[in-house]
Amino acid sequence: MHILPILLAGALASHVAHAETADPNDGAGVNTCAINIKPRTQEYPWMSIGRWKRMHEDQLALADKGDVDLMFIGDSITEGWPRAIWNAHFGAYKAGNFGIGGDNTGNVLWRLQDKRMARLAPKAIVLLIGVNNLGLCDERPEQVFPGIKEVVTALRKQYPAARILLNAVLPTGEFPTSERRQNVVTLNKMVATLDDGRHVVFRDYGASFVRPDGAIGTDIMGDYLHLTPKGYTIWAGAMLPDVQALMK
């Protein structure tokens, strides 16, 4: 049982500093998404608020059934799994896709707090989140990290029996020297500290997506952000041994 929306195309042009405005009373003093728990309020050409709400409702309907052993949650990179690749690698599990394009950590926190999500009882959770905090919210790594930490905390509280495969934010930007890539590297060093060796397992599969010189090819990430089918095959192959171990 799973939801497999179509991979978002052309989103790179939208990954600019379109920060969702924080509550002016939250004391942050800046626009932030990280721990600003709220539904989607920003319209994008590739993701209307209406579509976001429909996807959330579809995922709540999936949660109502409760028949999910392997839960994937995150943004468009999670949303966009091609069905054939998903089935080939995760078809042996009762896998559910709870990714929505454009989501930041605050959006995921808002989705998780819905009581219907508590009907799930996954054995393992695959989490990938944070790149939209950097790209769409224009947050610095030190601002994004508390949001990722809070998502992990929320998942542990909501699903205490589940083990979490915490993905490093995937490399983005064509070249390793780009600011985008360096921000991801800095953020992932922080995210790695959330690995407790038992309930939360951090894995950085980033090296699998880059060439020897560190550059990203469009055959793997068409816009240097979103995965192509080849990219998903690489990610699935890299993750599968860890997923199998966590599902035991």
Side-chain angles (χ1 to χ4, degrees):
M1 301 289 295
H2 50 265
I3 300 172
L4 295 173
I6 298 172
L7 177 63
L8 300 177
L12 177 64
S14 300
H15 275 246
V16 294
H18 288 155
E20 295 194 37
T21 304
D23 184 336
N25 299 315
D26 69 1
V30 295
N31 288 342
T32 182
C33 304
I35 54 176
N36 189 17
I37 303 174
K38 62 191 291 187
R40 183 69 58 80
T41 59
Q42 176 69 49
E43 288 272 359
Y44 298 110
W46 40 269
M47 175 64 78
S48 67
I49 293 174
R51 180 171 180 261
W52 186 91
K53 290 180 178 178
R54 289 191 297 272
M55 289 186 67
H56 177 53
E57 283 299 319
D58 287 343
Q59 292 175 3
L60 290 178
L62 178 61
D64 284 339
K65 297 178 182 178
D67 194 26
V68 173
D69 286 341
L70 176 59
M71 177 183 186
F72 284 71
I73 188 162
D75 50 39
S76 61
I77 299 174
T78 296
E79 177 196 338
W81 279 97
R83 184 177 297 274
I85 297 171
W86 172 281
N87 287 341
H89 291 84
F90 310 113
Y93 306 106
K94 296 176 181 178
N97 192 329
F98 293 83
I100 299 184
D103 263 13
N104 56 61
T105 53
N107 299 145
V108 170
L109 287 167
W110 187 87
R111 291 199 278 125
L112 283 172
Q113 71 182 3
D114 193 291
K115 292 181 180 179
R116 293 166 68 184
M117 291 293 288
R119 298 177 185 178
L120 292 165
K123 296 178 181 178
I125 300 169
V126 176
L127 172 63
L128 174 62
I129 197 65
V131 73
N132 290 324
N133 292 72
L134 294 170
L136 295 178
C137 300
D138 201 27
E139 292 181 325
R140 300 184 301 276
E142 60 269 23
Q143 292 174 298
V144 182
F145 174 64
I148 296 176
K149 183 177 181 180
E150 193 64 25
V151 172
V152 171
T153 298
L155 289 170
R156 287 285 302 121
K157 183 178 180 180
Q158 183 91 293
Y159 313 112
R163 302 181 71 191
I164 300 171
L165 179 57
L166 174 59
N167 277 252
V169 175
L170 299 185
T172 181
E174 182 177 5
F175 300 110
T177 54
S178 69
E179 182 179 4
R180 292 170 64 193
R181 187 81 68 86
Q182 290 302 307
N183 281 338
V184 168
V185 170
T186 299
L187 174 59
N188 283 335
K189 289 179 180 178
M190 301 177 194
V191 178
T193 65
L194 299 177
D195 187 323
D196 65 9
R198 184 180 178 187
H199 300 292
V200 181
V201 177
F202 172 82
R203 291 289 185 268
D204 188 345
Y205 304 111
S208 300
F209 299 94
V210 300
R211 299 194 295 251
D213 64 357
I216 294 173
T218 54
D219 59 326
I220 292 176
M221 295 182 183
D223 55 5
Y224 309 116
L225 172 64
H226 293 96
L227 297 175
T228 63
K230 180 179 179 180
Y232 277 105
T233 299
I234 291 171
W235 188 25
M239 274 198 301
L240 189 56
D242 291 317
V243 168
Q244 291 170 334
L246 293 180
M247 287 291 289
K248 290 182 179 178

